[in-house]
C-alpha cells in the first residue's frame, strides 16, 4: 500500500499535468494517485475544438494529448465519467458518483488537487436549451454541434458572443459553408481589445463575409414547432438561425470548493498562493480554469481561462505535490486568435483596464507591414501600445494584422514581465531580415512613437 | 547662413537616418547638412538584394526607402557619387572627390557623422576578379550579378561562403533555376550557429536541392579563355561555375578613420560611447556597419553589420546631433534568415562564444512544432538553449525550423536583454492558440528542459 494518496478532481490540462508530474517524482509505492473526470475524455485541447468543427482538424482524437489508458499505464487510477459531488475537507475525503451506474463512494485523500475547470456561460433565456443551440467547451459539445450542422435545414448560423470562442466559431461556421451572423454586446467584438482595435477586427470579419451586429442584447431563442432553433432574437431584431453557437465566455466551476468553504476571489474562482496551494490549506492545491491568477501588470488577481496557463499550473502543482518545488509568478494577460486571414493579439492592459487601475497612460498606434514592405506577401499590421505617464513603463500592446502579426505580441509579453519602459524597448535587438520584418520591427515602431508621445505629454 | 554645418560621410541607413533625424530637430537656418555618398543610391536595403536577385522583389527601386531627391527636398545637401578621400580632424574638414568629374574639394564641418559602412571580404585569390564572380553588397553589385545570370552559358552557380549572405544567395540562385553548390569553410555553414544546429540547416539546404560542400578552402577561381569564370577550385576539387557569388562576410570600411587617428577596436571598426560619439571626439559620431557595438550578453565589443542596427544608430546620432538625447545600449546578437522553407535564427552566445568568454553552461535542445501538432501546416522546429551554470541565466538560443519558427527568437532576445534566467522563462505568458503554437511554446519547452538539465548538473 502506498504511503500517501493524492486525489485529483478533473482530468483535463491542469489535473492530468499535475498527476503526471507527481507520478514522475513519486513511485506508486510512495504515492497513490486517483483522478476523477466527469466526461469521457482526458487531457484534450479545448482550444482546438473550433478548428475541428471547421474541419481543419479531421477528428477529435487529434485533440487528445493523452487518453485514459495512457494515464493508467503510467500508474494513475483514473475514474472516467465519474463526478465528484462533495468535498469533505475536515474528513479529507471526496464523494464521487459514477455517471453511468449511479454508484457513489467516498475516497479519502492525503493531498488533493482541484482542477474542476470552467463552464460556458449560458444565460437563462427563453429557448436557450433548444436543439441546435450549442456551447463549445467540451469534445461532447463539439460532436453535438457537428451533428447539428449536418442536420441543419438551411445554412444560417448565429454566433452569440464576440469573444475568442465567438470569433473562432464564426470562422468555423463560415468555413463549413454557413452564412454567419455574430451578435456581440459591446460597440465592437473582443472586449479585451480597445474599441479602435476591435473595430479593425470587425472590418476584417466583414471582409471575410461574417455579418457583425454590435450592441446586440440577446433576449431569446425562437424555435420551430419541432423544438429546434429557428432564430435568435435581440431587443431590436430577429436573426434566422439553423444553428446557434454560444460564445459568451466561461465561469469557474467552483461549487464543490464553495460548499467546502474554500477561499474564492471576487470572480468566484479559487485563490491560491504562488505554489498553487489553496490559501489556508496545507494539503490542497488548485489550478487551471477554476482559479484566479495574479496579473503582474495590474497587481490584481483575475480569472483567465486558458489552456496554456492550466498546463503550467499542473506542472507546478505536480512538482510541489511530488516533493519538488515550483511557483507560478502570474500572467501578463496575453491572448491570441485569428479570423480567416486576420490575426489578433493582446497583452497587458487595455485602456479600460488601465483606467480601472488608476493608471495614467499615453497610447501610440502605428501601421506597418508583417514583413519588409517590398517582400512578397507583406500584409498590413497595426500595433497599439500603452505606456504609463511619467515612468514610461509598458502597460499593454494590441495587434491586428495579416499572417505573422500576432505572435509578435510575445515581445511585449516578455517586456511586460521584465517591467521594461517603452524607451528601453526601442533598443531591443529583434530579428530582422526582409522575409521576417521591416528594418524596424512594427513593435519597435510603436515603442518609438510611444516615447515621442510621452515626451510631448511632458 | 546656418549657424553650424553637419557633414555626413555615407548616405545609406546610418548616415541618412542621422541626417534625417537631425533635420527634424534643427531647421536649415540652424544646421546645414551636407552628406556624401560614393554610390548612386541612398537609404537602400542591402539585406533585400538576395530577394531582388531571386526575383521575389521585381526591381531594385523597391529596395530604396528614400532616394536622393527626397532627401534634398528635406533640406539635406546630398552629394551623390562623391567619395570622401581624407578626413582632417584637427582642421575639421573633409576632402571629397566627385567620381564622375574627378573634381576635389574641402568641406569644413562643425559636427561630423561617419557612416562609411563595410565592404565585402574579397580574398586575394587568383581569378577572383574574373567576370562572373560577384559580391552582393550594393545595388550595383546586384545589377551586375543579374546581368551575369542572364549571360551565363550553363546554369551552374557556386556560392563561396556559408554565412547569411551565402545561404540567401544560394536560395536566390536556386530560385533562378541554377544548379547551386555552396562552399563553406567549417564543418557546417552558419558559424554563428553551433555545428549541431548548422547541420540541420545543411540538411534543409540539401533537401531543397543545394549541394553543400563543407571544410572547403577556396584556393582559386578558374577562367575560360574569354576571362569569364569557369570553376571555383578548393584544395580538394573543382566546382564548375557559370556564375560565382562571394558571401564571405564584410569588413568595416574605416580607412579614413584610421588615417585620421580615430580609435578603432580589435575588429578594425570604430569605437563609440553609448551616445554613438567617437571616443575622445566631442563633435564626431559614428554608426552602422563601420562601428563596434557592445554585446550585452558577453560584455564585449563586436563588429556586427546589420541594417536594423544601422537604422537605430542613425536615429540616435541624429537625436544627439540635433540637440536631443539618445543612447544605444547594445545588442544581444540576434540574426535571422531562411533557405527556402527552412527558417534559422540565433541570439546571444553560441557554445563556442560562451567558451571564449569563460562561461560554463548547459545546453537543452528540443523538437517541437511551429503550431499545435494537430493544426494544418504544423512543421517541425528545433530550439537549442544555453543557460549559465549555477546562475541559470539565459545565454543564447538557436532555432531551425519551418515557417513561423524564426521570429520566436525575439522572445529570447528580450529575455537576454532583461537578463532573465531560464527558470523565469518557463513562466512567460506567451501567446497560445492552436494556429500559433503548441500549448507550451517551443521556447518554453526548451527553457523547461534547460532548467531540468541545470538541476541534474547540480
Amino acid at each position: 500500500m502506498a504511503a500517501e494518496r493524492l486525489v485529483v478532481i478533473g482530468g483535463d490540462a491542469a489535473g492530468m499535468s499535475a498527476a503526471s508530474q507527481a507520478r514522475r517524482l513519486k513511485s506508486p509505492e510512495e504515492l497513490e494517485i486517483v483522478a476523477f473526470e466527469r466526461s469521457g475524455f482526458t487531457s484534450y485541447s479545448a482550444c482546438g475544438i473550433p478548428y475541428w468543427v471547421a474541419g481543419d482538424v479531421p477528428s477529435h482524437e487529434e485533440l487528445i494529448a493523452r487518453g485514459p489508458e495512457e494515464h493508467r499505464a503510467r500508474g494513475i487510477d483514473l475514474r472516467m465519467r465519474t463526478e465528484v459531488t462533495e468535498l469533505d475537507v475536515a474528513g479529507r475525503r471526496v464523494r464521487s458518483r459514477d455517471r453511468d451506474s449511479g454508484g457513489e463512494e467516498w475516497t479519502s485523500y492525503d493531498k488533493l488537487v482541484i482542477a474542476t475547470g470552467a463552464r460556458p456561460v449560458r444565460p437563462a433565456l427563453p429557448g436557450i436549451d433548444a436543439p441546435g443551440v450549442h456551447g463549445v467547451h467540451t469534445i461532447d459539445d463539439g460532436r453535438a454541434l457537428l451533428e447539428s450542422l449536418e442536420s441543419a435545414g438551411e445554412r444560417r448560423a448565429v454566433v452569440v458572443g464576440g469573444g475568442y470562442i465567438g470569433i473562432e466559431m464564426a470562422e468555423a461556421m463560415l468555413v463549413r459553408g454557413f452564412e454567419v451572423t455574430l451578435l456581440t454586446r459591446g460597440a465592437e467584438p473582443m472586449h479585451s481589445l480597445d474599441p479602435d482595435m476591435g473595430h479593425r477586427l470587425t472590418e476584417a470579419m466583414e471582409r471575410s463575409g461574417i455579418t457583425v451586429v454590435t450592441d446586440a442584447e440577446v433576449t431569446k431563442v425562437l424555435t420551430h414547432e419541432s423544438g429546434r432553433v429557428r432564430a435568435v432574437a435581440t431587443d431590436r431584431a430577429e436573426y434566422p438561425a439553423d444553428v446557434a453557437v454560444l460564445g459568451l465566455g466561461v465561469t469557474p466551476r467552483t461549487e464543490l470548493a464553495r460548499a467546502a468553504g474554500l477561499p474564492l476571489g471576487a470572480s468566484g474562482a479559487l485563490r491560491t498562493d504562488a505554489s498553487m496551494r489553496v490559501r489556508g490549506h496545507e494539503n490542497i492545491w488548485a489550478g487551471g480554469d477554476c482559479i484566479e491568477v495574479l496579473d503582474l501588470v495590474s497587481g490584481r488577481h483575475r480569472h483567465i481561462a486558458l489552456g496554456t496557463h492550466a498546463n503550467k499550473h499542473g506542472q507546478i502543482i505536480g512538482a510541489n505535490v511530488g516533493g519538488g518545488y515550483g511557483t507560478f509568478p502570474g500572467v501578463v494577460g496575453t491572448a491570441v486568435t485569428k479570423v480567416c486571414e486576420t490575426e489578433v493579439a493582446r497583452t497587458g492592459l487595455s485602456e479600460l483596464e488601465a483606467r480601472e487601475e488608476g493608471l495614467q497612460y499615453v497610447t501610440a498606434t502605428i501601421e506597418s507591414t508583417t514583413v519588409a514592405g517590398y517582400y512578397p506577401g507583406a500584409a498590413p499590421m497595426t500595433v497599439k501600445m500603452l505606456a504609463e505617464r511619467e515612468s514610461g513603463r509598458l502597460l499593454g500592446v494590441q495587434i491586428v494584422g495579416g499572417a505573422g502579426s500576432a505572435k509578435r505580441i510575445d515581445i511585449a509579453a516578455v517586456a511586460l514581465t521584465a517591467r521594461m519602459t517603452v524607451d528601453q524597448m526601442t533598443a531591443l535587438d529583434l530579428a530582422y531580415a526582409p522575409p521576417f520584418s521591416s528594418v524596424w520591427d512594427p513593435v519597435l515602431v510603436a515603442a518609438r512613437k510611444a516615447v515621442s508621445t510621452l515626451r510631448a505629454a511632458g
Side-chain angles (χ1 to χ4, degrees), chain A:
Chain A
M1 205 187 117
E4 283 196 315
R5 181 185 290 151
L6 166 66
V7 163
V8 176
I9 313 178
D12 199 1
M16 295 319 290
S17 289
S20 302
Q21 182 64 16
R23 176 51 78 232
R24 263 177 227 120
L25 298 171
K26 294 275 192 200
S27 70
E29 289 68 39
E30 296 170 298
L31 184 72
E32 183 188 2
I33 305 179
V34 181
F36 297 97
E37 168 55 35
R38 298 172 66 242
S39 79
F41 302 96
T42 54
S43 307
Y44 65 91
S45 168
C47 322
I49 291 173
Y51 308 100
W52 164 42
V53 171
D56 293 333
V57 176
S59 151
H60 74 273
E61 285 168 21
E62 309 210 23
L63 302 182
I64 299 172
R66 201 173 279 174
E69 288 314 317
E70 289 170 90
H71 287 297
R72 288 182 185 131
R74 288 161 195 248
I76 296 167
D77 176 3
L78 179 59
R79 320 272 177 91
M80 299 300 295
R81 294 190 51 76
T82 305
E83 183 157 29
V84 173
T85 54
E86 193 178 340
L87 164 56
D88 174 8
V89 169
R92 297 196 167 200
R93 58 183 191 155
V94 299
R95 181 157 64 176
S96 64
R97 193 175 63 85
D98 182 311
R99 293 177 68 195
D100 298 314
S101 71
E104 301 206 346
E105 63 174 336
W106 285 95
T107 305
S108 65
Y109 62 81
D110 299 292
K111 293 175 173 175
L112 178 70
V113 173
I114 302 176
T116 43
R119 63 164 58 83
V121 170
R122 209 175 172 97
L125 297 175
I128 193 93
D129 294 321
V133 181
H134 298 271
V136 279
H137 195 65
T138 65
I139 288 185
D140 287 329
D141 290 341
R143 192 178 268 164
L145 173 57
L146 281 168
E147 281 166 16
S148 198
L149 294 180
E150 297 242 324
S151 63
E154 292 184 64
R155 300 180 79 76
R156 294 166 304 189
V158 171
V159 176
V160 181
Y164 293 88
I165 288 289
I167 70 171
E168 289 164 8
M169 289 311 302
E171 176 184 352
M173 304 285 103
L174 195 71
V175 171
R176 284 285 179 185
F178 278 68
E179 199 178 286
V180 180
T181 302
L182 182 134
L183 307 178
T184 187
R185 260 183 181 163
E188 303 291 345
M190 290 285 277
H191 300 164
S192 69
L193 299 180
D194 291 327
D196 53 339
M197 296 297 279
H199 187 64
R200 287 177 165 80
L201 178 65
T202 299
E203 289 175 328
M205 285 197 282
E206 296 201 321
R207 277 197 304 275
S208 302
I210 296 165
T211 302
V212 179
V213 181
T214 56
D215 294 317
E217 187 66 41
V218 172
T219 52
K220 61 187 166 194
V221 174
L222 305 173
T223 54
H224 290 287
E225 280 190 13
S226 67
R228 182 168 173 139
V229 59
R230 173 173 68 78
V232 176
T234 69
D235 46 352
R236 290 177 298 171
E238 281 181 18
Y239 300 91
D242 306 293
V243 171
V245 171
L246 303 178
L248 293 163
V250 297
T251 183
R253 194 186 278 275
T254 47
E255 292 78 0
L256 271 181
R258 185 186 297 272
L262 299 183
L264 305 183
S267 68
L270 276 156
R271 291 296 296 266
T272 73
D273 62 20
S275 74
M276 312 304 295
R277 218 164 44 181
V278 172
R279 290 202 173 270
H281 295 265
E282 273 295 320
N283 63 332
I284 307 180
W285 288 260
D289 292 358
C290 66
I291 70 159
E292 288 188 349
V293 290
L294 175 62
D295 177 333
L296 296 168
V297 186
S298 67
R300 271 176 56 186
H301 285 80
R302 296 169 56 194
H303 179 242
I304 299 178
L306 204 54
T308 186
H309 299 333
N311 271 279
K312 289 192 184 97
H313 299 166
Q315 283 283 334
I316 289 160
I317 294 170
N320 291 325
V321 167
Y325 177 59
T327 59
F328 185 75
V331 304
V332 293
T334 311
V336 63
T337 190
K338 68 184 259 304
V339 188
C340 302
E341 298 307 303
T342 300
E343 301 183 354
V344 46
R346 56 96 67 216
T347 191
L349 306 181
S350 66
E351 290 200 52
L352 179 65
E353 289 164 338
R355 283 196 298 270
E356 283 175 355
E357 299 301 324
L359 296 170
Q360 295 194 15
Y361 59 85
V362 299
T363 69
T365 303
I366 64 96
E367 309 290 337
S368 185
T369 49
T370 50
V371 301
Y374 57 78
Y375 192 81
M381 66 178 280
T382 306
V383 180
K384 178 173 182 175
M385 190 172 280
L386 274 70
E388 191 181 17
R389 247 186 77 179
E390 311 287 340
S391 76
R393 176 165 71 107
L394 177 69
L395 292 180
V397 172
Q398 298 163 48
I399 296 174
V400 176
S405 308
K407 256 303 218 178
R408 279 179 160 99
I409 204 73
D410 288 344
I411 298 164
V414 186
L416 281 169
T417 306
R419 297 182 82 81
M420 283 188 182
T421 64
V422 288
D423 194 45
Q424 289 171 323
M425 289 181 75
T426 60
L428 285 172
D429 185 3
L430 303 182
Y432 161 62
F436 299 97
S437 179
S438 326
V439 70
W440 288 94
D441 189 280
V443 174
L444 298 187
V445 180
R448 280 174 59 192
K449 185 164 180 188
V451 169
S452 304
T453 309
L454 280 166
R455 284 187 189 147

